[in-house]
Amino acid sequence: MEYFYTFLKGFAMGAANVVPGVSGGTIAFITGIYQRLLDSLKAFDVRALRMLMKMDIGGFAKHVDLGFLISLGLGVLASIVTLAKILKDAYASSPVLVDAFFFGLILASIFSVGKMVKKWRPFEIVALLLGCGIAVWLAFLEPAAENKNLGYLMVCGAAGMCSMIIPGISGSFILLLMGNYKLIILNAVNDLRALKFAESLPILIPVGIGAVLGLVVLSRVLSWLFKKYHDTAVALITGFVAGSLVIIWPWKSIAESVVIDGKVKVIAWHRELPDLMLANTWVAVAWLVGGIALIAVTEKLASKG
């Protein structure tokens, strides 16, 4: 049953990545598998390579927690194939309702995650405010211009991957801010699907190298921080999650957008107070409450994982 619950958590992570402003790392954190995920990623080291070279598959699987990674990965994949498509369509037709649901989910998770801090001291409060401030600051940044420089592409890969495993920060949102969302996600990936290797590989190879390096380095740093400075690290992550509420606030209108290959990408919002005289507002509030209620279920899953 353990791997079944891990599959469900991976399913939730995959679905969350569809919604702008929500990261799979946030779901991993609030379902209680974040530390295990970091440790598993960190385990891909020289020792793991030696085990593979010696064909010690059993030892390798135990060392990297392969059963956990496979069940989690299958959940993410199943979500992308099924629920994520439904959620993407729902977001296109009813973005306020979807945002409201995830807003409620993340809002409730702040308190459940905050309980993981064993002792709130001044340093933890500073870390909380710092994390919140960084997330809010990112939400209001102006996007940079497109840049095909090799080094910058590696930095984009590292930043995109790092933000995907840092709760509260969306990887696609970071790439949009760095100016290379169209270049990497839309152009290069689509060129690869069309087997246009000459156009896609010069972009995707340095991005991939940066992503792998970022994942290897950050997973080790975060794992070390969680073990050495647990309360401070959790407080910082809680701040990131809290700050992400600014990005996913349900009631907003477009302030600035760009058209990328015929698709509108919003880069700035006007955030507004909900109109309590509208029936749709109360429907959104109901979805928000539903997101809050779901936290009780995820906490039970976490206790069984």
Side-chain angles (χ1 to χ4, degrees):
M1 288 298 292
E2 174 190 351
Y3 291 141
F4 174 70
Y5 287 120
T6 302
F7 174 88
L8 292 180
K9 294 169 186 179
F11 197 87
M13 288 175 64
N17 280 321
V18 178
V19 181
V22 183
S23 71
T26 300
I27 303 300
F29 198 70
I30 67 179
T31 54
I33 61 171
Y34 191 69
Q35 179 66 64
R36 186 175 179 181
L37 177 60
L38 289 179
D39 290 342
S40 184
L41 294 173
K42 186 186 69 171
F44 284 87
D45 51 15
V46 175
R47 182 182 173 190
L49 182 60
R50 288 174 179 168
M51 288 178 177
L52 282 178
M53 294 178 66
K54 294 179 180 179
M55 298 303 292
D56 182 8
I57 304 302
F60 171 79
K62 183 178 181 181
H63 179 66
V64 302
D65 203 355
L66 190 60
F68 165 77
L69 284 180
I70 290 176
S71 56
L72 189 70
L74 287 175
V76 172
L77 181 61
S79 178
I80 291 173
V81 173
T82 57
L83 182 61
K85 177 64 168 63
I86 298 172
L87 189 57
K88 185 176 182 179
D89 291 341
Y91 191 80
S93 60
S94 305
V96 174
L97 299 185
V98 177
D99 276 345
F101 176 77
F102 277 94
F103 187 92
L105 190 152
I106 295 173
L107 178 64
S109 74
I110 293 171
F111 301 100
S112 60
V113 168
K115 292 188 296 186
M116 298 180 191
V117 178
K118 299 172 184 176
K119 188 176 181 180
W120 283 96
R121 298 163 297 183
F123 204 71
E124 278 67 44
I125 295 174
V126 170
L128 173 71
L129 295 176
L130 178 63
C132 186
I134 292 174
V136 173
W137 172 67
L138 287 172
F140 289 97
L141 273 181
E142 289 290 329
E146 185 178 291
N147 190 334
K148 294 184 179 180
N149 178 270
L150 181 67
Y152 190 73
L153 288 173
M154 292 181 67
V155 172
C156 285
M161 180 57 69
C162 290
S163 61
M164 286 179 186
I165 64 172
I166 297 178
I169 302 179
S170 165
S172 59
F173 183 70
I174 291 297
L175 289 179
L176 186 62
L177 287 178
M178 296 183 74
N180 275 356
Y181 181 87
K182 176 184 176 182
L183 177 67
I184 297 170
I185 302 300
L186 297 182
N187 293 350
V189 172
N190 285 334
D191 285 341
L192 184 63
R193 288 172 181 164
L195 303 181
K196 297 179 180 178
F197 300 118
E199 293 85 356
S200 62
L201 294 184
I203 302 298
L204 294 180
I205 287 176
V207 170
I209 293 172
V212 171
L213 291 176
L215 185 62
V216 168
V217 173
L218 191 68
S219 62
R220 282 162 170 74
V221 171
L222 288 175
S223 181
W224 177 80
L225 283 174
F226 269 80
K227 290 178 179 178
K228 187 77 173 178
Y229 305 101
H230 177 270
D231 284 359
T232 304
V234 172
L236 182 66
I237 294 297
T238 304
F240 278 132
V241 175
S244 72
L245 290 175
V246 174
I247 300 175
I248 203 173
W249 175 253
W251 296 278
K252 52 185 179 280
S253 58
I254 297 175
E256 186 177 356
S257 64
V258 293
V259 178
I260 301 175
D261 290 351
K263 297 180 179 179
V264 177
K265 285 290 175 183
V266 179
I267 58 178
W269 297 95
H270 282 309
R271 290 165 180 85
E272 306 157 348
L273 292 176
D275 187 346
L276 300 180
M277 301 302 293
L278 296 177
N280 286 343
T281 297
W282 292 104
V283 174
V285 170
W287 278 91
L288 191 154
V289 173
I292 294 173
L294 187 61
I295 290 300
V297 177
T298 59
E299 286 186 337
K300 286 185 179 181
L301 289 176
S303 66
K304 295 179 180 180

